[in-house]
């Protein structure tokens, strides 16, 4: 019997229909290929176009730009079902919830009309390139440079840990347009990956998220139109990033809570079916108490997450609230999944078991989107 999850306060009949569509898509197009994608370190490119055909891309982008016309709630449903399906290969959270919204919020009107419909069909896959080999959370320290040359920018630099890097058709690149201006010298520029001088490096071999195409990207005199600058003028990139990061962190929280719930379901099934000393593992007090605690952790996290989603839908989720959501849910999912692995015993360490893959996958949640330590720093500034 699966974990009893109270229906979210923001849910509607329409969203539940989307949930069913998302679940069907995951089971048909994602679940059967996990092992192969993990070996190849990337999923099949046609997953994107198939998702576009059934209407799962650009869900929260207005219809006038080819999107679904929905809200963050539509995105949350999709991400929850992906996490519950045990898939970590498809970088749809970055494509839908992050890159498309940078374009929607900051691109010139003609660029929105050119690019966003391609995001909705899967013709374009989106990526965002912030992290560099020598720069992680401190984005003021990036070295990638964009120099204005007439009606173009010439970009030089390197990025790493880029989700969707192998398949990306459009990358939002954090650059320094004024290397002496600190945070005020950072700009965001969109680069189409068929531009001369752009090249992809390795698809990186990660501890978890094995099927996700996380890559190195290189920019060697990449010349792009000045119209690809996001925002009305240079130097707005850092502020743009800060304005978009709350949604990114909330997305991570959504997947963390759904991942927690999925891990508990897997463990409930396993401990009720497997026996030790002549009785089901679930019948032992330690198992029951561990899972009781895990279920409580998940319920509390779910209640806080739902509150944050409601605030975000009203435009009221602030930087501190998003940081709290990311910090709490990612720390909790790591503890819960680790406890679940313990109840599987040796099988919990075998990658053929979904719980082992989940254990490796969730570890990054305390790092990307801003580390737990950075979240604490952000929260402490408001105290």
């Amino acid at each position: 019997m699966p974990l009893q999850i109270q229906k979210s306060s923001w849910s509607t009949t329409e969203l539940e229909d989307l949930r069913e569509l998302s679940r069907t898509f995951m089971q048909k197009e994602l679940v059967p290929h996990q092992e192969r994608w993990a070996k190849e370190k990337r999923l099949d490119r046609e997953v994107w176009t198939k998702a576009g055909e059934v209407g799962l891309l650009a869900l929260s982008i207005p219809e006038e730009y080819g999107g679904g016309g929905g809200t963050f709630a539509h995105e949350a449903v999709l991400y929850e079902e992906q996490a519950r399906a045990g898939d970590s290969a498809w970088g749809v959270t970055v494509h839908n919830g992050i890159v498309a919204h940078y374009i929607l919020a900051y691109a010139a009107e003609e660029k929105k009309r050119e690019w966003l419909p391609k995001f909705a069909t899967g013709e374009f896959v989106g990526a965002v390139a912030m992290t560099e080999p020598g720069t992680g959370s401190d984005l003021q320290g990036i070295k990638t440079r964009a120099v204005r040359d007439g009606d173009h920018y010439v970009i030089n630099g390197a990025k790493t840990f880029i989700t969707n890097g192998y398949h990306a058709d459009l990358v939002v690149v954090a650059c320094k347009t004024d290397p002496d201006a600190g945070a005020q010298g950072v700009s965001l520029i969109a680069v189409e990956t068929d531009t001369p001088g752009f090249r992809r490096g390795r698809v990186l071999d990660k501890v978890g998220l094995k099927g996700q195409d996380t890559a190195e990207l290189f920019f060697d005199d990449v010349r792009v139109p000045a119209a690809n600058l996001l925002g009305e003028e240079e130097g707005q990139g850092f502020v743009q990033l800060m304005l978009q990061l709350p949604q990114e962190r909330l997305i991570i929280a959504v997947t963390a809570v759904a991942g927690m719930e999925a891990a508990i379901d897997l463990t409930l099934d396993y401990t009720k079916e497997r026996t030790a000393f002549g009785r089901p593992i679930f019948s032992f007090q330690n198992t029951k108490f561990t899972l009781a605690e895990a279920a409580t952790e998940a319920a509390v996290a779910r209640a806080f997450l739902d509150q944050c989603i409601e605030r975000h839908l009203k435009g009221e989720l602030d930087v501190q609230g998003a940081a709290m959501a990311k910090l709490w849910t990612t720390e909790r999912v790591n503890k819960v999944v680790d406890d679940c692995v313990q109840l599987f015993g040796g099988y919990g360490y075998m990658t053929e078991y979904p719980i082992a893959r989940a254990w490796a996958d969730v570890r990054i949640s305390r790092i990307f989107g801003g580390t737990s330590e950075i979240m604490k720093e952000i929260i402490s500034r408001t105290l």
Side-chain angles (χ1 to χ4, degrees):
M1 186 176 186
L3 182 68
Q4 297 300 301
I5 303 168
Q6 185 163 336
K7 191 173 181 179
S8 295
S9 52
W10 45 267
S11 185
T12 64
T13 301
E14 178 193 348
L15 290 171
E16 290 309 305
D17 289 342
L18 174 62
R19 186 179 300 282
E20 189 61 38
L21 171 64
S22 301
R23 187 176 299 153
T24 300
F25 182 83
M26 305 299 170
Q27 293 299 321
K28 180 181 177 183
E29 303 294 346
L30 302 185
V31 172
H33 309 293
Q34 295 298 304
E35 187 174 337
R36 176 171 60 84
W37 289 345
K39 290 177 181 176
E40 295 175 356
K41 295 191 283 191
R42 58 182 178 270
L43 80 169
D44 300 331
R45 178 61 176 81
E46 54 265 31
V47 170
W48 291 99
T49 49
K50 288 178 179 178
E53 288 169 3
V54 299
L56 294 179
L57 298 182
L59 286 169
S60 55
I61 297 300
E63 292 179 2
E64 65 179 297
Y65 299 114
T71 68
F72 181 80
H74 294 78
E75 302 287 0
V77 165
L78 176 65
Y79 308 152
E80 285 181 345
E81 290 309 310
Q82 182 185 14
R84 287 173 181 155
D87 172 71
S88 60
W90 188 30
V92 69
T93 56
V94 172
H95 176 91
N96 269 20
I98 300 173
V99 187
H101 280 272
Y102 277 113
I103 303 304
L104 177 66
Y106 308 121
E109 185 65 24
E110 64 184 83
K111 293 298 182 180
K112 292 180 193 179
R113 296 192 180 277
E114 177 185 351
W115 291 331
L116 288 174
K118 295 179 181 179
F119 272 68
T121 61
E123 181 182 345
F124 266 19
V125 173
V128 59
M130 290 188 269
T131 303
E132 298 183 356
T135 306
S137 297
D138 180 16
L139 292 174
Q140 298 182 54
I142 61 174
K143 304 296 184 187
T144 298
R145 186 81 197 278
V147 178
R148 183 71 180 258
D149 181 22
D151 293 332
H152 290 78
Y153 283 100
V154 179
I155 302 173
N156 284 279
K159 299 290 184 177
T160 193
F161 307 149
I162 309 305
T163 300
N164 296 340
Y166 182 84
H167 287 306
D169 301 283
L170 186 137
V171 183
V172 172
V173 185
C175 310
K176 273 291 183 72
T177 44
D178 184 346
D180 301 318
Q184 286 69 44
V186 176
S187 299
L188 301 182
I189 300 176
V191 176
E192 294 185 48
T193 58
D194 60 359
T195 307
F198 172 85
R199 59 189 173 91
R200 308 175 207 267
R202 297 175 299 152
V203 177
L204 300 170
D205 188 14
K206 306 179 296 297
V207 171
L209 310 182
K210 288 286 191 179
Q212 190 183 95
D213 58 318
T214 308
E216 300 170 320
L217 304 180
F218 298 97
F219 304 84
D220 303 318
D221 290 330
V222 174
R223 193 176 182 85
V224 300
N228 286 21
L229 175 72
L230 301 188
E232 297 178 357
E233 58 186 25
E234 295 178 3
Q236 297 180 340
F238 197 80
V239 172
Q240 292 166 344
L241 290 166
M242 294 305 104
L243 290 172
Q244 294 296 318
L245 276 171
Q247 175 155 307
E248 179 178 348
R249 289 167 179 159
L250 186 58
I251 289 169
I252 295 170
V254 168
T255 59
V257 173
M260 208 183 315
E261 293 163 346
I264 295 169
D265 277 344
L266 287 171
T267 311
L268 283 169
D269 288 344
Y270 181 82
T271 56
K272 289 181 178 181
E273 292 172 2
R274 186 154 180 94
T275 59
F277 303 102
R279 56 187 177 130
I281 293 172
F282 184 79
S283 68
F284 292 92
Q285 186 183 67
N286 177 70
T287 305
K288 289 193 256 188
F289 281 15
T290 298
L291 286 169
E293 184 177 336
T296 304
E297 295 269 24
V300 173
R302 166 63 59 188
F304 180 41
L305 174 66
D306 284 346
Q307 180 193 86
C308 289
I309 290 175
E310 285 186 346
R311 290 173 61 193
H312 189 51
L313 291 171
K314 295 175 184 176
E316 298 173 357
L317 183 65
D318 55 12
V319 172
Q320 178 199 30
M324 286 181 168
K326 190 211 179 262
L327 173 66
W328 184 258
T329 58
T330 58
E331 292 290 334
R332 294 303 93 194
V333 71
N334 273 271
K335 179 184 183 299
V336 165
V337 174
D338 191 71
D339 287 345
C340 288
V341 165
Q342 192 72 15
L343 293 177
F344 273 77
Y347 290 105
Y349 206 62
M350 299 295 107
T351 54
E352 65 192 82
Y353 277 72
I355 195 66
R357 298 195 295 270
W359 180 69
D361 288 344
V362 300
R363 184 58 182 85
I364 190 61
S365 67
R366 294 170 57 203
I367 298 173
F368 64 12
T371 64
S372 290
E373 292 72 27
I374 293 293
M375 295 305 98
K376 293 173 186 177
E377 179 67 25
I378 291 169
I379 295 162
S380 69
R381 290 173 186 168
T382 67
L383 301 181

